[in-house]
Every structure is written in C-alpha cells, then in structure tokens.
C-alpha cells in the first residue's frame, strides 16, 4: 500500500499507551492501510507521548482543565485532529467522556477499546469490577463511540479466562494482551471501509478467515 493511500488516524490517550504502541506497530507494517497522524493526550508527561515521539508521530498535549466545559474541550480536539487531516479517531485508554461535538465531526468514525466484555462492567476499573464479581471469563471490547459510556455498537470482542480470587493485576495484564491483538485488527477493518451500522448493530465485511471474536 503506497503512502498516498494511507488513511490518517488520530489516537487519544491518557496514560501509558500500550494500546497506542500496538496501533503504532501495526501501522508501521509495510502493508498497513492506516497511519497514525497525531497522538493527543489530555495528561502531560504520560509515557504514551514518549512512545509516539519514538515512532516519529506528532504529539499534542491538550489538558482538559484548560477548557471550561466538555464541548469546548472537544471542539479543541476536533480542530487539532482536523489540522492533521484525521479521518478516524481511536480512543486508546482516553479516560474522558466525549460529546456530540467530537462525534458529529467524525460520525461513526470514533473507536474505543474497553477492558471488559460489554455490556458487562462499563466505566472505571472494569477489570476490578469483573474480578470482584467472580467471573470466570473476562475480556475486551472494541466499539464505536456514542454519547453513552462504553456504549456504542460492538465491533469485536476478545475473551480471556479469569480466575475468581486471582490478583486483579494478573487479570489486567491478560486482558491487555488481548487488547493489543484486538484493536489493530479492528482499526484495519475500519480504515478499509468494512464497517456499517444499523442502529446499534454493526455489520462488518470481514476479511477471509477473520472473526469478530478472539480467544
Ligand atoms: C486499557 O486497558 C483500556 O482498555 C482502558 O484503559 C487502559 C489503557 O491502557 N480503557 C478504558 O477503561 C476506557 N473505558 P494503555 O494506556 O496501556 O493502552
């Protein structure tokens, strides 16, 4: 795939950026149809910014506290993303709710990864919630973002075993490994134009041999 046809993607982060790293690595492959055009963090000094710099990707620190409300903040995100010609947005550990100001600018083009098998355990500390509940499987979900929290149409899910009573950190790491497989796969489907939605159901024109779930 030549550089001209690579679809520019913006990645929003708040932290260490291991999912960002998985996306950067996938986009560095010679046949990648996507390229990361900008990485935006709402928190300064996070390790994800360093990962982006190492990969030669432009970074922007956009502290949400610099803006009076969510919409003004999201308008700032939109102008930053547009300045980098972004066509798809990936929330990779971006711990903020987004508003229609962002979603209307990128309709059905904002992806999020969440560390649970949605609709179970939306919100903060999903892995801790699953662990405390005693589930025997856990996992991760990539979905299109809407205004609800961890709510939009599900695109793909990855399942991992969970041991009731295990340390939550081991569960977190197991889910994270799954996230790193899942997110690049779905981003590729997205930029290849394989995703359509009907209400809250997504239809995906899957590449041969691929499925919407991983184990
Ligand atoms: C990931 O586990 C991601 O699924 C989660 O934050 C972590 C970020 O890790 N996101 C959410 O909980 C969103 N609701 P990373 O910075 O190493 O990619």
């Amino acid at each position: 795939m030549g550089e001209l046809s690579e679809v520019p993607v913006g990645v929003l982060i708040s932290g260490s950026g291991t999912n960002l790293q998985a996306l950067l690595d996938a986009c560095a492959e010679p046949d990648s149809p996507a390229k990361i055009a900008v990485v935006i963090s709402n928190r300064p000094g996070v390790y994800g910014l360093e990962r982006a710099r190492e990969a030669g990707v432009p970074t922007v620190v956009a502290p949400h506290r610099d803006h009076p409300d969510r919409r003004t903040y999201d308008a700032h995100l939109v102008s930053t993303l547009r300045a980098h010609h972004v066509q798809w947005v990936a929330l990779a550990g971006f711990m903020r709710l987004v508003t229609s100001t962002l979603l209307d600018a990128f309709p059905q083009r904002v992806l999020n990864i969440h560390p649970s098998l949605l609709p179970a355990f939306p919100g903060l500390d999903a892995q801790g919630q699953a662990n405390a509940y005693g589930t025997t499987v856990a996992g991760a979900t990539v979905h299109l973002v809407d205004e609800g929290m961890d709510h939009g149409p599900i695109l793909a899910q990855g399942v991992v075993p969970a041991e009731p009573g295990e340390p939550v950190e081991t569960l977190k790491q197991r889910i994270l490994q799954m996230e790193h497989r899942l997110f690049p796969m779905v981003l590729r489907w997205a930029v290849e134009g394989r995703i359509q939605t009907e209400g809250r159901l997504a239809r995906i024109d899957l590449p041969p041999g691929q499925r919407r779930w991983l184990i």
Side-chain angles (χ1 to χ4, degrees):
M1 194 90 38
E3 273 185 24
L4 279 177
S5 56
E6 286 176 347
V7 178
V9 175
V11 183
L12 273 52
I13 62 168
S14 301
S16 77
T18 66
N19 277 288
L20 165 66
Q21 188 68 58
L23 298 178
L24 288 167
D25 291 348
C27 288
E29 293 293 324
D31 74 334
S32 171
K35 72 165 184 197
I36 311 293
V38 63
V39 171
I40 306 174
S41 173
N42 67 316
R43 295 203 187 115
V46 295
Y47 190 60
L49 289 165
E50 190 56 38
R51 295 178 191 274
R53 282 184 210 110
E54 292 239 332
V57 170
T59 59
V60 175
V61 175
H64 52 276
R65 291 189 207 292
D66 291 356
H67 299 266
D69 54 52
R70 287 184 193 280
R71 286 186 182 281
T72 322
Y73 181 61
D74 283 1
H76 177 65
L77 294 179
V78 169
S79 62
T80 307
L81 292 162
R82 289 221 166 110
H84 290 85
H85 310 290
V86 160
Q87 292 186 30
W88 281 86
V89 181
L91 309 185
F94 185 64
M95 304 308 273
R96 303 271 310 159
L97 276 178
V98 299
T99 65
S100 58
T101 302
L102 178 76
L103 299 174
D104 290 349
F106 298 96
Q108 308 283 41
R109 280 171 172 248
V110 182
L111 305 170
N112 181 45
I113 188 152
H114 182 73
S116 79
L117 295 171
L118 290 172
F121 312 125
L124 290 176
D125 190 25
Q127 310 94 325
Q129 294 183 56
N131 185 255
Y133 204 91
T135 67
T136 58
V137 291
T141 302
V142 177
H143 64 93
L144 286 171
V145 176
D146 65 12
E147 283 188 82
M149 188 171 53
D150 302 318
H151 178 266
I154 287 173
L155 301 174
Q157 295 184 296
V159 182
V160 301
E163 189 65 40
E166 73 176 308
V168 70
E169 195 50 39
T170 63
L171 179 62
K172 262 189 190 171
Q173 288 307 319
R174 203 177 303 119
I175 294 172
L176 212 42
Q177 302 280 315
M178 175 55 80
E179 293 183 45
H180 301 161
R181 293 170 57 200
L182 201 62
F183 211 177
M185 179 180 81
V186 178
L187 180 64
R188 189 176 183 121
W189 297 345
V191 301
E192 287 178 346
R194 296 178 178 277
I195 300 173
Q196 291 195 321
T197 50
E198 249 182 66
R200 71 153 296 118
L201 296 190
R203 287 184 199 288
I204 300 177
D205 173 21
L206 288 170
Q210 292 196 12
R211 296 177 305 221
R212 290 177 64 171
W213 49 272
L214 296 176
I215 52 173

